[in-house]
Amino acid sequence: IRLVSTVFDMDPVRSARDLKLRPHIHLPEFDGSLYIDNRVVLSEPPERVVEKYFPSSGICLARHSYRDSVMDEFLRTARADRDDHDRIFEQLKHYLVSCPDVLDEKPYWGGILLRDHQNDKLREMLSLWLAHVLRYSRRDQLSANYAFKRAGLSPDVMEIDNYGSWFHTWLEESERRTENADALSN
């Protein structure tokens, strides 16, 4: 466990995205890393996941299992008030003008990422991805496809459901609250 300082004192979400999207900076002594969202629970040792999915492209992640397009994700993010609407729609406008085809693609899910820290092309892509998360919506699913396209990188894809697979489960918000309450009462 490492204690890290936040990049933005008033924005813990974007501070966490810096850790998520720049593993090669924060963990330079490691050749690769497995990121799991705080709502993902591994049911298998991480070594098994790395063994099965270590990417040849530099990164392996799953597609979003319940959104059909990046545009769907933009609209859902706005409807659910998951971020500032001005940022969301400015980002959407940017993509409509500069790379509209990514809006029709199936989005990626950022809950589990396996990264090769030594891959230069991946580091470039992650830098672009983080720039969009910092400039626009903090919801990284909105910018992942764009960053992959602009960087010319095709990720390896885990064919898993976001809610559960042979190696993970996904805690629903109500389950997470119950677990947190149980932990506080013990």
Side-chain angles (χ1 to χ4, degrees):
I1 296 175
R2 288 190 190 163
L3 182 62
V4 296
S5 300
T6 57
V7 176
F8 306 106
D9 293 336
M10 302 299 289
D11 194 341
V13 173
R14 284 192 178 82
S15 291
R17 295 301 189 266
D18 178 57
L19 297 170
K20 178 179 182 176
L21 299 178
R22 294 194 319 151
H24 53 285
I25 300 296
H26 298 288
L27 301 168
E29 69 276 22
F30 296 99
D31 291 334
S33 59
L34 173 65
Y35 168 85
I36 60 168
D37 187 271
N38 65 343
R39 291 171 40 185
V40 170
V41 178
L42 293 181
S43 55
E44 292 289 330
E47 295 84 4
R48 289 202 53 217
V49 179
V50 171
E51 188 178 284
K52 180 166 176 69
Y53 293 114
F54 197 79
S56 59
S57 68
I59 188 169
C60 186
L61 71 169
R63 293 197 190 280
H64 206 298
S65 58
Y66 50 96
R67 297 278 187 271
D68 292 327
S69 69
V70 174
M71 178 64 87
D72 291 343
E73 186 67 17
F74 266 98
L75 297 176
R76 176 70 179 140
T77 299
R79 273 194 300 263
D81 290 326
R82 299 240 170 167
D83 204 344
D84 177 76
H85 285 211
D86 290 338
R87 281 184 187 246
I88 293 168
F89 289 111
E90 183 182 12
Q91 182 177 12
L92 178 57
K93 181 180 175 186
H94 176 163
Y95 296 174
L96 281 166
V97 170
S98 66
C99 200
D101 53 317
V102 300
L103 298 171
D104 295 326
E105 293 178 0
K106 184 135 179 88
Y108 293 102
W109 178 58
I112 300 171
L113 305 173
L114 186 54
R115 294 83 48 99
D116 176 357
H117 297 190
Q118 305 307 309
N119 187 302
D120 291 333
K121 194 165 192 161
L122 174 66
R123 288 194 301 242
E124 288 177 34
M125 178 272 173
L126 291 173
S127 178
L128 177 61
W129 192 4
L130 179 62
H132 279 250
V133 169
L134 297 178
R135 171 66 180 87
Y136 296 120
S137 176
R138 62 191 188 183
R139 303 288 299 169
D140 54 63
Q141 299 96 315
L142 299 180
S143 49
N145 291 61
Y146 179 87
F148 281 122
K149 175 84 72 183
R150 295 306 262 202
L153 182 66
S154 295
D156 292 60
V157 176
M158 296 176 203
E159 298 298 335
I160 61 170
D161 186 272
N162 302 161
Y163 287 114
S165 72
W166 65 271
F167 70 90
H168 90 286
T169 56
W170 174 259
L171 293 179
E172 291 296 325
E173 194 65 32
S174 61
E175 291 177 271
R176 205 165 67 145
R177 284 191 194 121
T178 302
E179 282 197 1
N180 289 342
D182 290 346
L184 292 174
S185 66
N186 290 332

